[in-house]
């Protein structure tokens, strides 16, 4: 029984189709079928059974999948941990951050830090808040830069310090009925369709829910996107409206920013997070301390 055969088995089990699995694995379907047949012969039991054009796990196949899935995930995490350790030894700093920070804040901070420490490197990925928090909690990244969340419950393992407040605004498509308005009471948005980042109660989604809650209604969420550009595109196409950071490129010609009639600042907190009670790599700790030295800890 070899490692590659187990990967083949896991892929077929999850895609439930030999042709799609073979395409995903970049091998021929006959080669995949032969590998699964050999695995079944070695185990002495059928792992799959036909279900129309698809296949599904047998009872013993389902049992086997539970163990193989856990084992392969552990192996993948082990490989990632070793590679990360090698990168840490090379002074690589792992940061998972919000999409909107790709163009603001972080580039200047990274450039200034590399001037002080020219032998450092950065491994960056840009995501939405819930994905950033998951990256840090699972140890894939040492630092995260994200939006609003409460460091309690599942997030109690995280240390959180606010770096700055980022203004947000309402945007609508050029053809939307509200496009010609300069200022809108929040209550008028009660029946509007909202576009949000992947559905969660974190980040800008939390800000939207809190904002609407102040005026006695829940936002009618009709679509989700994985990044700022996805939100902007759906708003531009008339799929709905959105609350989005001012610096996310909302000056595109296909959407219109509109002020909301509120008597408080419409902003979101941008925070730096890392795992509590776990030592950061030396270079990462220096970068964290550099960011925090410019701000009051909260």
């Amino acid at each position: 029984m070899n490692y590659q055969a187990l990967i083949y088995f896991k892929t077929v089990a999850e895609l439930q189709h030999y042709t799609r699995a073979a395409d995903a694995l970049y091998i021929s379907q006959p080669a995949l079928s032969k590998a699964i047949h050999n695995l079944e012969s070695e185990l002495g039991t059928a792992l799959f059974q036909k279900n129309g054009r698809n296949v599904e796990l047998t009872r013993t196949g389902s049992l086997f999948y539970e163990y193989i899935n856990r084992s392969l995930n552990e192996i993948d995490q082990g490989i990632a941990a070793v590679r990360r350790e090698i990168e840490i030894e090379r002074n690589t700093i792992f940061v998972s951050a919000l999409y909107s920070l790709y163009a603001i804040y972080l580039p200047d901070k990274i450039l200034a830090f590399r001037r002080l420490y020219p032998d450092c490197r950065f491994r960056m990925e840009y995501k939405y808040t819930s994905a950033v928090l998951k990256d840090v909690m699972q140890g894939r990244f040492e630092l995260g830069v994200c939006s609003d969340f409460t460091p309690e419950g599942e997030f109690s393992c995280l240390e959180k310090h606010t770096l700055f407040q980022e203004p947000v605004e309402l945007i609508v498509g050029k053809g939307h009925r509200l496009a010609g308005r300069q200022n809108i009471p929040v209550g008028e948005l009660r029946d509007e369709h909202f576009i949000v980042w992947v559905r969660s109660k974190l980040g800008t989604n939390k800000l939207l829910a809190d904002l609407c809650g102040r005026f006695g209604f829940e936002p009618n969420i009709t679509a989700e996107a994985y990044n700022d550009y996805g939100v902007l595109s759906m708003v531009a196409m008339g799929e709905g409206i959105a609350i989005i950071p001012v610096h996310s490129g909302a000056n595109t010609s296909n959407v219109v920013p509109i002020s909301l009639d509120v008597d408080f600042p419409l902003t979101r907190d941008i925070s730096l997070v890392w795992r509590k009670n776990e030592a950061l790599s030396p270079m990462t700790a220096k970068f964290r301390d550099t960011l925090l030295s410019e701000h009051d800890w909260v």
Side-chain angles (χ1 to χ4, degrees), residues 169-292:
E169 63 188 351
L170 173 72
I171 58 169
V172 303
K174 282 188 68 175
H176 194 277
R177 66 178 185 85
L178 299 175
R181 301 277 295 277
Q182 298 296 317
N183 188 280
I184 297 175
V186 176
E188 284 194 30
L189 306 179
R190 183 183 300 271
D191 297 322
E192 294 294 330
H193 293 170
F194 281 91
I195 312 298
V196 300
W197 286 260
V198 174
R199 195 181 299 261
S200 73
K201 296 181 179 180
L202 307 171
T204 306
N205 293 353
K206 180 179 184 300
L207 185 151
L208 173 63
D210 291 346
L211 175 65
C212 295
R214 288 193 184 200
F215 293 87
F217 69 98
E218 293 185 4
N220 180 18
I221 297 171
T222 57
E224 305 171 41
Y226 284 91
N227 55 46
D228 297 349
Y229 302 108
V231 173
L232 283 165
S233 295
M234 282 192 277
V235 171
M237 291 187 294
E239 296 293 324
I241 65 177
I243 297 292
I244 196 168
V246 170
H247 301 297
S248 291
N251 60 343
T252 176
S253 59
N254 295 318
V255 301
V256 179
I258 302 176
S259 298
L260 289 175
D261 185 12
V262 293
D263 57 1
F264 50 87
L266 199 57
T267 61
R268 66 175 185 173
D269 288 346
I270 300 299
S271 299
L272 183 66
V273 299
W274 63 92
R275 293 184 301 283
K276 287 181 180 178
N277 305 319
E278 290 189 29
L280 299 175
S281 63
M283 191 62 72
T284 300
K286 289 178 181 178
F287 184 62
R288 175 200 61 186
D289 294 344
T290 298
L291 294 182
L292 294 180

